[in-house]
Amino acid sequence: MTLQQSALPTTVTATHPASRRDRSRLYQEIGMLAPAVILLTIFLIVPFLLSFWTAMTNQPLVPRPTPVRFIGFNNFLRILRDDLFWTSLWNVSRFTFWILPVQCGLAFATAMLLHQKLPFRNFFRGLFFLPAITSMVVVCVIWGTLFQYPTGPLNQVIGFLSGGSIQPIDWLGDPEWAMFSIVLLSAWQAYGFQMIIYLAGLQGIPDELYDAARIDGANAFQRFWHVTMPGLRPTHVFVLVITTIQAFKLYTQVAILTQGGPKSSTETVVHYMVRSGFEEQKLGHASAVSVILFLIVLVIALLQRQLLRRYDV
Amino acid sequence: MGKRLLSLLMASAALSGFAEAKTVIHVMHQGDPGWVATYGDVAKRFEAANPDVDIELIYAPHDAYNEKFSAAVMSRQLPDIMELDAPFLANYVWSGYLQPIKPLIDQDVLDDMTESNIAQGTYPVDKDLYAVGLTDSSVVLYGNRKYLEAIGARIPKGVDDAWTREEFEGYLEKLSKLDGVKWPIDTFRGYGIKTEWITYAYGPVLQSAGCDLIDRSTWKSVGTLDSDACVDAMAMMQTWVKNGWVVPQSSGTNQFFAEGHPAALAMGGHWFYAEAAASMKDDVVVMPLPKFGPKGASPNGTWIWGITTASEHPDIAGKFISFMLKDKQFRDYARDDSAYPGLKSFAADSPLYDAGGPMAVAFEQASKTAVARPPHPAYPIITSAFMGAVDEIFNGGDVKAALTAAAEKIDEDIDENDGYPPFDEQP
């Protein structure tokens, strides 16, 4: 874009001094672009091309006596035929489907709460944000203890509140519950981030709109529905999209707490990739998974662009 | 413990700073904090005896050891000495990371090795020795004497009169109805679903039932791991889980001697004895693994020491390994940890495993029923595929389908590597 714009005046004003000035400006622009282009090439484009190439071979993780061969799309075909891959993709979608309402809802609710003029509200903002800056590994270890079956604290609290009528739940060991447990802990760990974005969004809505609504006789719910919600539309879209993309990269919680089990109910695409690359030492296969994951995230990113454009952000 | 290691590393780093002439030997190892400290102390004593050598210990946690090792290979930072899990030996030797160790180790240590110790360090293709260790390992069936007496169970005297499958399942059922028993057996699912424990401990159930993870002459898994005998054996284990007889994965790994002794039996490693006996005293009964089919089977193989092809000072590395295996404090620590003897002289020091000793059964298993895990370079896939199948099966999945998928995955990998020559030429 920038290059074209700078080229345009050159053709219009064909006088020598101007063209010299334009050319030097062109060099300047190339010079300014260069660092970004070089870094992106080294760290993004080349690795992607390399991983695409590796995905077409039977490259092992560590050097082996047998030769590395070009095997075309065999790795991709094998992945698409592998039930475990589809299970992992389904699991990530399930995770996303649950994490969106839970995490974003929680973030929105606390943001609404903390947007009020409460005493100590900055203290509470910090408090609610605390889990988001705590390392996920630490959070997992703590929640692993909370989830313990059958005598862990969470089960004891539930047993106490229900008067013993609810049986202890095997949070991480039951295929029906394991993914939900990971949703709970992930939402708790990360909602602070979305909360901050919502707080910023709320602060961006002009007070005049509320005053006008009040004068028009709108009650609290009507003000919320007709002023707050429309005012937050771009924030909603942004939060939903980044949460979706983050959710697709689910890995740490699974690696620490369930290793993809029980019965593959928490296997995720990234975990599947790391497993085939490091545990089974099939770098080619793992690269093919990474290419597929890249394409999936690319589709989400394109949808994001469309959504953002529609809401004129 | 970590601090001690750190200060040791820092001290050795500082020393090597001004004493350029020193030879540095890198040693990669795993282990719990007690072992880590013990290795550190051995290294200190070795350095005191050999002032021109620095031993640099590199700790890699057990759970990610193989991944760490791959990383070391890729970054061309292989240590001189590496501790390795015996079933992975074939993969490492085939890939060219280990060198024959016989000429580098003191002859008296080599002469001292038990048969099973030699077997776990030997590469099956060239029959050469690539790693040595102080120890070997086994899994036995621990029982709580009070519960066993309450149901009138027969207590086997040795490997030859091990429980049969019918006896064993009958006792599980009786135990499940006994007051105080929450779970009839702990099979240590608490170790997780991606741990070598699964293949190590449950593989012998298959071998006892008359099948295996892979056919050891044709090196094909399809037709073996998914055979009727294996399907039947895994379906049996699935039934135990379904009946609520097995301690669930999320309940930890000490239910046998936990408060109130909720688990009546434990199918546990030899290392479990020290803890169990400390807490339950004479109530611990040690029995051989049951016979699930035509023959008895038990696991062997443990973490042993090899010298890599990257080592520039293999002779000094060999000297350190010999020194360590003879070190008195090292052996004392191992003995107190109920370590399973792999050297004859160490066995003589271990009354635990002597005839009449409480763990004698474990030692008897080594010579009568031990079956090594498949010594094939594809072992990382074999074990990973089997772990996946076991997770599926224990959680109610279809047994035949899970084992078939695992068998196909193994064969696919072997095909992809052209049969891992020269393994494809073996009869």
Side-chain angles (χ1 to χ4, degrees), chain B residues 103-289:
Chain B
L104 306 169
I105 300 291
D106 292 359
Q107 191 58 43
D108 54 339
V109 172
L110 295 173
D111 294 341
D112 203 12
M113 292 172 76
T114 63
E115 237 173 90
S116 73
N117 195 4
I118 295 172
Q120 68 175 332
T122 302
Y123 182 55
V125 173
D126 60 12
K127 309 271 188 294
D128 212 338
L129 189 72
Y130 284 87
V132 294
L134 177 65
T135 59
D136 196 345
S137 73
S138 193
V139 168
V140 292
L141 190 64
Y142 297 95
N144 184 317
R145 192 181 298 278
K146 284 190 188 127
Y147 295 141
L148 292 181
E149 280 168 4
I151 60 161
R154 178 179 74 86
I155 294 179
K157 300 268 180 301
V159 172
D160 297 328
D161 60 345
W163 287 347
T164 61
R165 173 174 170 176
E166 290 69 33
E167 272 183 293
F168 179 64
E169 292 198 295
Y171 293 146
L172 287 181
E173 180 153 23
K174 279 187 188 160
L175 286 167
S176 69
K177 291 173 186 144
L178 194 67
D179 269 351
V181 176
K182 187 158 185 189
W183 298 289
I185 189 168
D186 190 351
T187 63
F188 294 85
R189 293 183 64 196
Y191 285 145
I193 60 167
K194 288 216 310 188
T195 151
E196 188 51 29
W197 169 256
I198 290 173
T199 315
Y200 172 70
Y202 306 157
V205 176
L206 301 183
Q207 286 138 9
S208 177
C211 60
D212 209 336
L213 296 158
I214 185 166
D215 185 303
R216 300 194 189 204
S217 54
T218 62
W219 297 117
K220 287 259 180 291
S221 188
V222 173
T224 304
L225 183 55
D226 56 354
S227 65
D228 291 345
C230 273
V231 171
D232 183 52
M234 291 314 292
M236 166 185 79
M237 293 191 85
Q238 188 185 47
T239 311
W240 304 346
V241 175
K242 265 189 194 155
N243 292 351
W245 291 348
V246 180
V247 176
Q249 192 191 333
S250 30
S251 295
T253 52
N254 60 354
Q255 296 301 316
F256 182 68
F257 57 80
E259 179 81 35
H261 304 156
L265 299 168
M267 191 173 145
H270 68 271
W271 56 89
F272 183 68
Y273 179 79
E275 270 184 295
S279 122
M280 292 172 61
K281 309 282 183 295
D282 290 343
D283 274 348
V284 181
V285 184
V286 180
M287 297 174 286
L289 289 178

Side-chain angles (χ1 to χ4, degrees), chain B residues 337-421:
Chain B
D337 199 42
S338 67
Y340 188 101
L343 294 182
K344 291 169 204 154
S345 62
F346 180 53
D349 290 347
S350 309
L352 206 57
Y353 293 92
D354 230 6
M359 288 292 278
V361 166
F363 209 54
E364 196 191 345
Q365 279 190 156
S367 55
K368 290 188 174 163
T369 60
V371 183
R373 283 160 280 177
H376 191 275
Y379 188 76
I381 303 280
I382 297 176
T383 187
S384 162
F386 184 59
M387 285 173 205
V390 168
D391 174 47
E392 180 80 18
I393 290 166
F394 279 16
N395 286 291
D398 183 72
V399 179
K400 174 84 183 170
L403 290 178
T404 306
E408 281 169 359
K409 191 168 184 180
I410 294 166
D411 284 357
E412 215 166 57
D413 175 77
I414 293 176
D415 274 351
E416 234 170 80
N417 285 281
D418 309 325
Y420 288 93

Side-chain angles (χ1 to χ4, degrees), chain A residues 56-59 67-71, chain B residues 415-418:
Chain A
M56 306 272 226
T57 66
N58 66 346
Q59 173 80 45
V68 176
R69 274 197 318 256
F70 179 83
I71 53 168
Chain B
D415 274 351
E416 234 170 80
N417 285 281
D418 309 325

Side-chain angles (χ1 to χ4, degrees), chain A residues 108 112 205 209-232:
Chain A
F108 185 51
M112 288 296 290
I205 303 173
L209 291 177
Y210 288 102
D211 295 339
R214 243 181 236 110
I215 291 166
D216 286 345
N219 63 24
F221 176 76
Q222 283 166 332
R223 285 199 301 276
F224 168 76
W225 195 248
H226 295 290
V227 180
T228 312
M229 286 309 264
L232 281 180

